[in-house]
Amino acid sequence: MLLCGILIFGAGCKTTTNNQASTAPSASFGENAGDEAWEEFEDEVAYTRHYDPFEGFNRAIFSFNDGLYDYVLGPVADGYKWVVPNGVRNGISNFFDNIRYPIRFVNQILQGKFAEGMKETGMFLVNTTYGVVGIFDRADEFPGLDVPPEDLGQTFGVWGIGNGPYIVIPVLGPSTARDIFGRAGDRFADPGSYLGYWQWEAAWSARGVDNLNALPGRVEVYEAITGSALDKYTAVKDGYLQLRKKQVEE
Amino acid sequence: MRLNKYRILQFGSILVFLSILFGLPAARAEQGDPRDMLIQTVNEALDILNGENYEGLSVDEKNERLLALVESRFSLNILIQRALGRNWRNLDDEQRTEFKQLFSKLVVQTYSDRLAEAGDRPEFEFAETIELPKQRLEIQSKVDYKDDTITVFYRLAKRDGKWEVYDILVEGVSLLNNYRKQFDSILRQGSVEELLKTLREKVAEF
């Protein structure tokens, strides 16, 4: 039994656990029968690795951000939701999503996803014209053109570059070394950054509107993840890393 | 499609009737396609949360019924044990029993809290069932949640004649893995007793 503890995946142990399970009374609640059965499922755990050498520092920034959500961003998001109707908020968010089309397209090409790049272009054209400069998202009517969005962090992942250390950014929240570089690189494909060259006021107000409008959604996701968490920091870290892993894979 | 499902349900209800008639208690857990069973469970859960028949119940009472409903059809044993992983060995019998009760409560509360928050009865759409190795299944569904469509995948395996829900993936994020990392982190810094205390407080929060 002790040996079994050491060799979790040992073939000899597997039979022991199986025998135990089959002779044990049915696994109903309240009894602790079949108690080591979880080991049979360990082959499923191919999940995220948490490389977090700056955990102490990250936790400090995380708790700052957490307070910011509670006392500033949450109330601001609620106020914004109260003033601006849902339909308008969706329109603004669709508009900014549509404008960021070059980021998605460039990364689809960098990942060799040429068919997806064509579909993304098609979606951009449909939303820009039929969707009235992107205010309406017509993806529902053209499900064939709806492809997963790509960014440079994902592209690095597809190229085989690992996450590197996990890093919590003030205000912005969870990221990794790889994704920070990705974010910086994506600026080159972001039309918003070029607007800044000749009209920086317009560029900054656009960015402000974009961020404010996206806030309620971000607060909601944050609350959904942390609301049922026992260790908020770890829950957000794992949620972020799992989500990015899935996005790189698809 | 609709007619087909109706006929399956009808057939199923005859089976249930027969098994009651002949007193085969095990047959209830044995019968039925897990996908149908899951769809039915989700529908009944939504009834409890939003249905007229349950309007007078408090949140606590609703959650109690939800847990009873889930446990009558599925087992969460593997999910609960896997959430602790290697640390499961460090719990004595009493602690295991308490952990099982608290954690299954927390999972059900989380789930019902989300659904209740979604406002009107959320639309679930069950898509395909994927067969995983070792006779495990992934039943895929989509939920219209607020303004978004969110994917929820249920992973099931049959053990001792009962279907185990051994993981739930929301937008590809494994609930199980998320909790395991949290428990790992808490147990690295503190004792099992402290973990149970954190759990007790969390469950009481809802």
Side-chain angles (χ1 to χ4, degrees):
Chain A
M1 203 53 218
L2 192 79
L3 193 72
C4 204
I6 300 159
L7 302 166
I8 307 169
F9 302 103
C13 294
K14 203 112 204 181
T15 45
T16 322
T17 28
N18 279 347
N19 287 341
Q20 226 178 18
S22 56
T23 50
S26 77
S28 69
F29 233 75
E31 304 164 27
N32 293 322
D35 260 359
E36 305 304 329
W38 62 274
E39 291 181 351
E40 290 167 31
F41 291 80
E42 280 307 274
D43 53 351
E44 289 257 344
V45 183
Y47 297 121
T48 46
R49 211 173 63 93
H50 290 190
Y51 178 51
D52 193 357
F54 312 121
E55 183 164 345
F57 191 64
N58 280 339
R59 275 191 189 264
I61 297 181
F62 179 84
S63 65
F64 167 77
N65 286 352
D66 190 52
L68 200 68
Y69 267 105
D70 272 356
Y71 296 109
V72 184
L73 299 181
V76 169
D78 285 342
Y80 180 75
K81 268 200 296 196
W82 191 70
V83 175
V84 182
N86 199 9
V88 177
R89 289 197 321 258
N90 281 338
I92 294 173
S93 126
N94 290 340
F95 172 79
F96 282 108
D97 275 346
N98 190 52
I99 271 195
R100 277 189 292 266
Y101 147 78
I103 298 179
R104 298 188 292 270
F105 177 74
V106 165
N107 284 295
Q108 274 148 349
I109 299 306
L110 288 176
Q111 292 177 29
K113 294 175 177 161
F114 299 109
E116 279 83 356
M118 291 304 114
K119 287 175 185 171
E120 189 72 58
T121 306
M123 197 71 250
F124 172 71
L125 293 174
V126 166
N127 281 340
T128 305
T129 54
Y130 175 45
V132 197
V133 293
I135 292 170
F136 300 98
D137 183 12
R138 304 293 187 185
D140 280 350
E141 292 160 67
F142 298 87
L145 296 180
D146 198 13
V147 288
E150 306 291 351
D151 57 53
L152 194 55
Q154 293 178 53
T155 303
F156 289 154
V158 170
W159 290 350
I161 299 171
N163 269 314
Y166 176 72
I167 295 165
V168 182
I169 308 172
V171 188
L172 292 177
S175 194
T176 64
R178 181 190 75 196
D179 289 344
I180 289 174
F181 280 107
R183 233 186 148 99
D186 275 333
R187 285 285 181 86
F188 290 104
D190 183 359
S193 15
Y194 294 98
L195 177 66
Y197 283 122
W198 52 283
Q199 271 219 323
W200 66 271
E201 294 102 329
W204 278 100
S205 11
R207 186 158 293 156
V209 171
D210 183 13
N211 280 324
L212 179 63
N213 191 68
L215 195 57
R218 280 180 199 152
V219 171
E220 232 161 61
V221 171
Y222 183 76
E223 281 172 354
I225 295 173
T226 55
S228 52
L230 296 145
D231 174 354
K232 283 185 182 185
Y233 173 79
T234 307
V236 170
K237 173 167 67 174
D238 182 69
Y240 179 79
L241 293 174
Q242 280 201 56
L243 197 66
R244 291 300 281 172
K245 184 169 183 276
K246 178 206 159 206
Q247 288 171 341
V248 168
E249 281 163 5
E250 75 181 11
Chain B
M1 184 64 198
R2 195 160 284 231
L3 219 149
N4 204 0
K5 201 188 276 174
Y6 175 71
R7 281 173 72 182
I8 291 170
L9 274 178
Q10 201 175 36
F11 182 64
S13 57
I14 292 170
L15 266 184
V16 171
F17 178 72
L18 286 178
S19 65
I20 294 166
L21 201 69
F22 294 108
L24 299 168
R28 185 181 52 87
E30 292 285 349
Q31 59 94 32
D33 170 45
R35 186 172 176 273
D36 288 344
M37 217 159 75
L38 186 66
I39 293 174
Q40 205 187 335
T41 308
V42 168
N43 277 328
E44 285 175 35
L46 290 174
D47 278 342
I48 293 176
L49 286 171
N50 302 318
E52 290 167 1
N53 297 340
Y54 297 92
E55 253 170 23
L57 293 182
S58 71
V59 178
D60 274 347
E61 286 169 325
K62 283 185 180 182
N63 284 339
E64 249 166 58
R65 286 192 189 213
L66 276 177
L67 188 57
L69 168 72
V70 173
E71 281 171 358
S72 72
R73 301 248 172 76
F74 299 100
S75 165
L76 300 175
N77 271 336
I78 300 286
L79 182 82
I80 291 164
Q81 293 171 23
R82 287 182 80 214
L84 278 178
R86 275 173 291 113
N87 291 313
W88 179 250
R89 295 200 192 89
N90 304 331
L91 272 66
D92 61 33
D93 252 14
E94 210 174 299
Q95 289 170 326
R96 285 180 177 186
T97 307
E98 193 186 1
F99 182 79
K100 279 178 175 181
Q101 283 168 354
L102 289 171
F103 187 56
S104 51
K105 249 190 185 170
L106 180 66
V107 171
V108 168
Q109 283 177 350
T110 305
Y111 201 77
S112 74
D113 203 44
R114 283 302 116 66
L115 290 177
E117 207 181 85
D120 298 335
R121 194 185 173 102
E123 285 293 325
F124 273 82
E125 189 190 312
F126 281 87
E128 47 194 326
T129 301
I130 309 249
E131 283 182 26
L132 303 173
K134 300 200 186 173
Q135 295 179 313
R136 295 171 192 165
L137 298 176
E138 181 176 275
I139 300 175
Q140 305 195 335
S141 75
K142 282 181 182 176
V143 204
D144 281 331
Y145 185 73
K146 295 181 182 172
D147 295 323
D148 285 313
T149 308
I150 287 173
T151 63
V152 181
F153 297 168
Y154 302 84
R155 294 215 172 148
L156 286 87
K158 204 169 194 176
R159 275 193 102 260
D160 301 329
K162 190 148 186 173
W163 283 97
E164 294 270 354
V165 180
Y166 71 87
D167 201 356
I168 299 168
L169 293 99
V170 179
E171 283 291 295
V173 174
S174 152
L175 197 79
L176 173 104
N177 196 54
N178 199 275
Y179 274 115
R180 182 186 281 195
K181 296 286 185 186
Q182 293 181 50
F183 293 147
D184 273 352
S185 166
I186 292 169
L187 287 172
R188 231 180 293 129
Q189 291 153 15
S191 64
V192 172
E193 257 329 296
E194 282 167 72
L195 170 71
L196 288 172
K197 187 169 158 268
T198 321
L199 253 174
R200 271 180 228 126
E201 287 167 0
K202 192 77 211 173
V203 168
E205 245 178 51
F206 280 86

